[in-house]
Amino acid sequence: MATILITGGTVIQATGETAADVLIDGEQIAAVLAPGSTLLGHDLAAGVDRVIDAAGKYVIPGGVDAHTHMEMPFGGTEACDTFETGTRAAAWGGTTTIIDFAIQRSGEQVEDGLAQWHRKADGNCAIDYGFHQIIGGVDEQSLKAMDTLIDEGITSYKLFMAYPGVFYSDDAQVLRAMQKASELGLLTMMHAENGPAIDVLAEQLVERGKTSPYYHGIARAWQLEEEATHRAIMLADVARAPLYVVHVSAKQAVAQLAAARGEGKNVFGETCPQYLYLSLEEQLGAPGFEGAKWVCSTPLRSRAEGHQDAIWQALRGNDLQMVSTDHCPFCMKDQKELGVDDFRAIPNGIGSVEHRMNLLYQGVVTGRISRPRWVELTSTTPARMFGLYGRKGVIAPGADADVVIYDPNGHTSIGLQKTHHMNMDHSAWEGFEIDGHVDLVLSRGAVLIDDGAYVGRKGHGRYLKRDLSQYLN
Ligand code: URP
Ligand code: ZN
Ligand code: ZN
Ligand code: ZN
């Protein structure tokens, strides 16, 4: 395989930044060298297959998006990015690893759900991928099936305190699963919203004729995220299990996590770009049924109440540790439109897998986070949290050569007619103007994005058997 030398760039890692050249040999990083280094007096550039000039640019480890839902069945339809289209879009945006969710529902076998996910992804991905396991029905059988997950390379699983009748687990089921996870060393991921209470509020709203997309967020009140987050923390404490709360959007839920961490509890929180940039007020102001494009769970929160600012603060201060997308795209036509008369029938989810690195970089531009923190939140901590660190999340000898060259002086316009490679008929990010640009993307030494062109291939991406989380205790 080819040798590549990336010269003249600033290598940014979670630990800091430095001017350095990066030598790649085949699929791996061979060396990180002082700029202009020679080898036994020989010019390195003369001996490699390709030299990439990164002068004035950042050289970062490829993004790790630890929360995606390609081809996910939801509300009678299916998320419209396949593993092929979704991983290609991810590559365009500088993400070189995804961790998707294999699904088991009540009454189904965990093994069947996992086998189905392998069939969906195998041979189709542009980038490397792993799986978490959704346990949507905690019973004797699924608890037993958890024993086999680690051998499958799955070291984390997700439970839902929301969506009664679909994925929901009650407190007894949650506790049992957490106890099992604690025994095995699995990391519990929690969708922390009080689903039964949400369903009551949603029904009452619809009865009063409040059926538009905005009321999705009213029914999913922040109190019900805060309450479930607190309950999840306490159940995890009793089970002596580490806890990772997904898609945190309410500042009160952040406060619960921060307080628990302050007491030494082993809890973590992830947020998503939508909770940093989009708001309930904008959803209310969207014309017609347009607000449906922003229907996701947890929902968008009120800007006036200060949730977005609080979430940025939490990312800066490490009350939240990671940013994933929760990429779960549905088209307007025939999908979101299912809920045109009743917000409860709008499939939940936003497509963002392409834009996460760019959107988070705006936090650097506005001074909310540092450059190393940008890399830490989007690549290094996800790799550590989910057992990929060493291979992913770092530029160091022996690591996979998943490298992004990011141009801080470039520009990216997001929108359906502009930068948009996700398989959707709209963009939740239409009109966003980004300071910065993903110039070049390498996945295990293979060039995927080069000077504005996709040169990757379907099937390049490999399944990643993951190690245990580095944050178990
Ligand atoms: O709206 C969302 N988040 N859809 C995907 C399913 C989930 O809860 O993560
Ligand atoms: Zn969820
Ligand atoms: Zn999700
Ligand atoms: Zn550029």
Side-chain angles (χ1 to χ4, degrees):
M1 267 197 78
T3 46
I4 297 174
L5 183 67
I6 302 172
T7 61
T10 303
V11 175
I12 302 177
Q13 312 238 46
T15 46
E17 55 185 72
T18 180
D21 294 347
V22 178
L23 181 63
I24 292 164
D25 185 6
E27 296 200 343
Q28 293 185 336
I29 292 167
V32 181
L33 305 149
S37 291
T38 56
L39 187 62
L40 302 174
H42 293 284
D43 181 5
L44 271 179
V48 296
D49 297 309
R50 180 171 174 186
V51 178
I52 298 170
D53 179 9
K57 299 182 183 172
Y58 302 145
V59 181
I60 62 172
V64 178
D65 189 343
H67 189 155
T68 69
H69 300 283
M70 307 303 173
E71 306 179 36
M72 181 195 190
F74 195 108
T77 185
E78 189 168 291
C80 53
D81 261 317
T82 61
F83 277 89
E84 181 181 352
T85 63
T87 56
R88 191 168 57 214
W92 272 103
T95 286
T96 51
T97 303
I98 59 162
I99 311 179
D100 205 87
F101 288 83
I103 296 181
Q104 177 257 351
R105 284 198 200 78
S106 187
E108 296 172 357
Q109 305 292 324
V110 171
E111 297 83 348
D112 294 346
L114 181 55
Q116 194 188 4
W117 245 255
H118 276 296
R119 281 196 299 276
K120 286 174 192 264
D122 189 23
N124 289 320
C125 294
I127 58 173
D128 290 350
Y129 61 97
F131 294 142
H132 313 284
Q133 180 67 52
I134 284 176
I135 305 279
V138 179
D139 55 21
E140 291 312 319
Q141 223 161 29
S142 55
L143 286 169
K144 195 162 171 356
M146 285 170 74
D147 285 332
T148 62
L149 290 179
I150 291 174
D151 284 344
E152 300 287 340
I154 296 178
T155 53
S156 47
Y157 75 105
K158 184 179 178 189
L159 297 172
F160 290 78
M161 299 166 112
Y163 306 131
V166 189
F167 300 116
Y168 175 75
S169 290
D170 65 22
D171 291 352
Q173 290 172 304
V174 167
L175 183 60
R176 278 185 203 284
M178 284 176 164
Q179 286 171 331
K180 183 83 186 191
S182 167
E183 212 177 279
L184 295 171
L186 290 168
L187 181 58
T188 302
M189 306 171 79
M190 185 61 75
H191 182 131
E193 286 186 295
N194 185 325
I198 286 168
D199 281 4
V200 171
L201 295 182
E203 186 175 351
Q204 290 168 347
L205 285 163
V206 171
E207 275 168 8
R208 296 193 342 252
K210 313 277 191 200
T211 60
S212 71
Y214 166 74
Y215 292 101
H216 169 84
I218 300 302
R220 306 187 91 88
W222 61 258
Q223 290 90 338
L224 303 178
E225 185 185 347
E226 179 185 10
E227 184 276 328
T229 303
H230 178 75
R231 192 156 32 99
I233 290 167
M234 291 305 167
L235 290 168
D237 199 32
V238 169
R240 299 180 185 280
L243 174 70
Y244 175 96
V245 180
V246 295
H247 47 52
V248 175
S249 65
K251 65 180 180 185
Q252 296 85 354
V254 174
Q256 290 293 333
L257 289 165
R261 288 173 61 78
E263 290 167 8
K265 293 189 173 71
N266 207 22
V267 301
F268 307 94
E270 153 206 281
T271 194
C272 313
Q274 49 269 36
Y275 308 123
L276 294 164
Y277 291 104
L278 306 173
S279 73
L280 196 54
E281 285 90 344
E282 285 159 82
Q283 195 171 29
L284 178 62
F289 188 61
E290 290 264 300
K293 69 184 178 191
W294 293 325
V295 165
C296 58
S297 295
T298 61
L300 302 187
R301 299 292 177 196
S302 160
R303 202 178 296 281
E305 289 173 3
H307 298 281
Q308 291 78 3
D309 282 340
I311 299 244
W312 274 116
Q313 268 306 114
L315 288 178
R316 188 183 175 97
N318 209 37
D319 287 339
L320 294 173
Q321 293 74 34
M322 286 177 43
V323 180
S324 312
T325 54
D326 194 9
H327 178 79
C328 193
F330 295 99
C331 285
M332 279 290 185
K333 187 166 162 28
D334 297 336
Q335 296 202 302
K336 294 278 186 185
E337 276 173 1
L338 292 168
V340 73
D341 297 320
D342 182 340
F343 66 81
R344 292 175 299 179
I346 302 172
N348 289 196
I350 289 182
S352 315
V353 76
E354 184 175 355
H355 303 310
R356 184 183 62 125
M357 302 302 285
N358 272 327
L359 287 167
L360 257 290
Y361 182 68
Q362 303 317 286
V364 174
V365 172
T366 55
R368 289 186 187 263
I369 53 172
S370 66
R371 286 187 289 260
R373 185 66 176 154
W374 168 51
V375 170
E376 187 168 37
L377 291 167
T378 55
S379 178
T380 309
T381 301
R384 288 205 167 112
M385 189 66 71
F386 293 111
L388 293 171
Y389 187 74
R391 284 181 279 175
K392 311 295 186 189
V394 64
I395 295 181
D400 285 353
D402 290 12
V403 178
V404 172
I405 299 185
Y406 196 82
D407 179 4
N409 299 309
H411 188 86
T412 308
S413 296
I414 302 181
L416 215 48
Q417 306 303 325
K418 299 169 183 166
T419 304
H420 182 98
H421 302 90
M422 299 176 287
N423 186 33
M424 302 171 69
D425 64 0
H426 68 280
S427 172
W429 304 98
E430 187 69 45
F432 270 65
E433 297 292 336
I434 300 293
D435 284 334
H437 185 255
V438 172
D439 274 9
L440 190 124
V441 178
L442 294 169
S443 162
R444 280 182 285 102
V447 182
L448 303 187
I449 302 294
D450 195 353
D451 207 12
Y454 175 73
V455 293
R457 76 176 168 82
K458 167 180 164 166
H460 164 81
R462 284 188 200 143
Y463 176 65
L464 295 163
K465 280 194 157 195
R466 296 184 290 116
D467 300 326
L468 297 185
S469 171
Q470 291 192 350
Y471 290 81
L472 287 184
N473 44 48

